Amino acid sequence: MVLEVIYVVRHGFRSSWVVDPETGLYRSSVRSPTNIPSDPPLSGHGVEQSKQLAAYLLELQPPVDKVYSSPYYRCLQTLEPYIKETSMEIRGEHGIGEWYGTALFDHPSPAPTDTLRKLFPTYSKGHISAIIPTPTGESIEQLYDRTAYALARIIAQLDNEEGQPKTVILCTHAATLITMGRVLTGHLPEQHEEEDFKPFTCSLSKFIRRREGSDKFEFTGTVRAEEGIPKIDWRNGRGIGGGWDCTANGDCSFLKDGEERGWRFSGDESFLPPQERELVLDVRERGGSNRPREQNSGPRL
């Protein structure tokens, strides 16, 4: 048997943060338990959403066999009520983490595993993340590459895992959820801004496998995106691992207040002017560093 069903959840309604586009300094309105300003907790409303989600997940058919999550606090907190009921292990996967636009400053990273295990006891210590995103952000095309590689690795791992899990749930973020839907189905719209997959807060999407087929990997360690991402062929309806059909798209029927805080792409959301952005992306495509060689008092924008 192989993996048959993928459930995808977006985190619940979160507290807000702001970033200074010139310095890359993040500030949050609510202190995060990880002490990272760009890693905010859920709002009170988001916590209530997570409880409603947990009740729904406990009744899912087929039931969840494995749990993967972005290592950001808001995603793990979204899963917390469900995990408290099931004691399931959470596998942290950076490859389904947050998306940031390109910049010359480093975006913050999630908290380390030891910190997350203190906050979420079933967070896996031994799981190896498939990929670490580029610290200075990504273009949308780079996000596709990162997401495709992470999903291909997750699917291949579960296809070959002892116990033969049939289902998995992935908790992620709005932009990443949209790209996951496109990568799984193999359907890429002409415009990134098209509203196809619906990333409402605490929504649940369901993907059913069309046919068996996993991408083969000789390398099982962690890929660092800034050093190059192995290409996965998923476009033109092919999808990942044999392709998947979306049978539930952003379902919020189990949430008291229904659909909230939808999102869609709006350009590249870069922190760089257009001319500088093109230079950065060109350097990345050639496998070089996009950071300035001279150390200035602040980032070049």
Side-chain angles (χ1 to χ4, degrees):
M1 298 293 294
V2 295
L3 188 68
E4 298 176 355
V5 177
I6 295 177
Y7 299 110
V8 182
V9 171
R10 184 189 173 191
H11 62 76
F13 208 101
R14 62 165 172 79
S15 304
S16 62
W17 82 67
V18 294
V19 58
D20 186 326
E22 294 187 356
T23 65
L25 180 64
Y26 282 80
R27 294 185 178 88
S28 177
S29 59
V30 178
R31 179 184 171 276
S32 170
T34 63
N35 292 315
I36 301 172
S38 66
D39 192 21
L42 300 180
S43 65
H45 179 55
V47 171
E48 290 304 310
Q49 284 183 315
S50 71
K51 294 176 182 177
Q52 295 162 29
L53 171 66
Y56 187 68
L57 294 181
L58 290 169
E59 300 298 324
L60 271 183
Q61 292 298 325
V64 175
D65 290 331
K66 297 293 178 181
V67 178
Y68 285 72
S69 177
S70 159
Y72 283 96
Y73 187 85
R74 54 194 176 277
C75 287
L76 297 168
Q77 189 182 12
T78 297
L79 292 172
E80 188 173 28
Y82 175 69
I83 298 301
K84 284 183 175 179
E85 291 291 331
T86 63
S87 299
M88 295 184 72
E89 177 189 60
I90 305 173
R91 297 175 178 177
E93 176 51 61
H94 291 253
I96 60 173
E98 183 64 283
W99 173 67
Y100 299 99
T102 49
L104 285 176
F105 52 78
D106 281 3
H107 294 290
S109 298
T113 296
D114 287 347
T115 298
L116 295 177
R117 281 180 57 80
K118 292 176 183 177
L119 298 168
F120 305 97
T122 68
Y123 189 85
S124 174
K125 184 177 182 179
H127 175 69
I128 299 174
S129 190
I131 185 169
I132 305 294
T134 303
T136 47
E138 307 154 298
S139 68
I140 296 176
E141 286 298 325
Q142 290 167 329
L143 174 62
Y144 283 129
D145 289 344
R146 183 246 291 184
T147 305
Y149 182 75
L151 287 173
R153 283 276 298 271
I154 290 171
I155 293 168
Q157 178 183 22
L158 294 175
D159 279 348
N160 294 283
E161 187 163 316
E162 185 178 354
Q164 299 179 331
K166 294 182 180 180
T167 64
V168 63
I169 190 166
L170 311 175
C171 189
T172 187
H173 310 261
T176 316
L177 186 151
I178 294 171
T179 57
M180 287 168 70
R182 293 172 180 177
V183 164
L184 286 168
T185 61
H187 297 303
L188 179 64
E190 292 185 4
Q191 302 295 326
H192 295 305
E193 294 81 2
E194 182 175 319
E195 296 184 58
D196 45 5
F197 296 98
K198 302 174 181 179
F200 301 112
T201 51
C202 261
S203 63
L204 179 77
S205 295
K206 180 179 180 180
F207 297 85
I208 297 179
R209 203 168 196 167
R210 297 177 200 146
R211 59 192 180 277
E212 183 177 343
S214 291
D215 298 277
K216 305 299 181 182
F217 297 98
E218 295 182 4
F219 181 70
T220 57
T222 299
V223 168
R224 294 194 170 274
E226 58 194 295
E227 298 173 1
I229 305 173
K231 296 292 184 181
I232 305 294
D233 182 13
W234 60 269
R235 290 172 168 80
N236 300 315
R238 177 184 175 90
I240 296 293
W244 303 73
D245 293 320
C246 182
T247 61
N249 186 0
D251 180 20
C252 295
S253 61
F254 52 89
L255 296 175
K256 178 182 176 182
D257 294 315
E259 300 174 352
E260 296 182 275
R261 216 172 198 176
W263 190 90
R264 66 181 177 87
F265 286 105
S266 179
D268 225 12
E269 302 203 5
S270 174
F271 290 86
L272 304 174
Q275 184 175 2
E276 184 106 11
R277 181 168 67 250
E278 291 302 316
L279 174 61
V280 166
L281 296 180
D282 178 63
V283 170
R284 286 187 184 175
E285 285 296 320
R286 290 186 281 107
S289 170
N290 61 321
R291 298 176 185 171
R293 294 187 179 184
E294 296 181 2
Q295 296 298 318
N296 300 318
S297 59
R300 295 186 302 148
L301 296 174

